[in-house]
Amino acid sequence: MMVLGFWLELLEYAQTLGLSDVMSGLWGNVYYIITFQAGWNTILHVMWLLLFYKWIRMFVNHIRAQGLLRGPIGLVLNLILAPIPTVLRCIVLPFLRWWVFLV
């Protein structure tokens, strides 16, 4: 009985957060895709979801293959440090081109 009370209290709290609206929206999208109400867009939605699933699965497998110690380090390197050279190139390259053009 205590577990039921806990779940009812948790459900009341979730309703105050607006999670029921989010869940009904997600269920509406799932129902929209499953029943093919979107026509060809249903197939496109599924293809996008499969692509994102593939990317996430590949990333998780990559981090998991690195091991317990190198996994968190790889996570930080891939998500935080790896984009830095690209961002720096995007910032520096216009000024570098301008300098080379003038010299």
Side-chain angles (χ1 to χ4, degrees), residues 7-28:
W7 283 108
L8 290 175
E9 188 175 329
L10 188 65
L11 183 63
E12 281 183 31
Y13 181 70
Q15 288 175 349
T16 61
L17 289 176
L19 293 179
S20 61
D21 294 335
V22 172
M23 292 305 292
S24 66
L26 287 175
W27 174 249

Side-chain angles (χ1 to χ4, degrees), residues 63-81:
I63 296 298
R64 191 176 43 154
Q66 290 183 351
L68 186 61
L69 186 60
R70 289 179 19 197
I73 295 170
L75 187 68
V76 169
L77 289 174
N78 284 326
L79 294 180
I80 297 173
L81 295 178

Side-chain angles (χ1 to χ4, degrees), residues 23-77:
M23 292 305 292
S24 66
L26 287 175
W27 174 249
N29 284 336
V30 169
Y31 182 78
Y32 187 68
I33 291 172
I34 290 174
T35 58
F36 290 103
Q37 289 181 355
W40 283 103
N41 287 336
T42 300
I43 296 170
L44 297 177
H45 281 95
V46 171
M47 289 173 65
W48 272 112
L49 290 174
L50 288 174
L51 179 69
F52 289 137
Y53 171 73
K54 178 183 173 186
W55 286 345
I56 291 170
R57 188 186 69 208
M58 287 172 50
F59 180 70
V60 168
N61 286 337
H62 171 71
I63 296 298
R64 191 176 43 154
Q66 290 183 351
L68 186 61
L69 186 60
R70 289 179 19 197
I73 295 170
L75 187 68
V76 169
L77 289 174

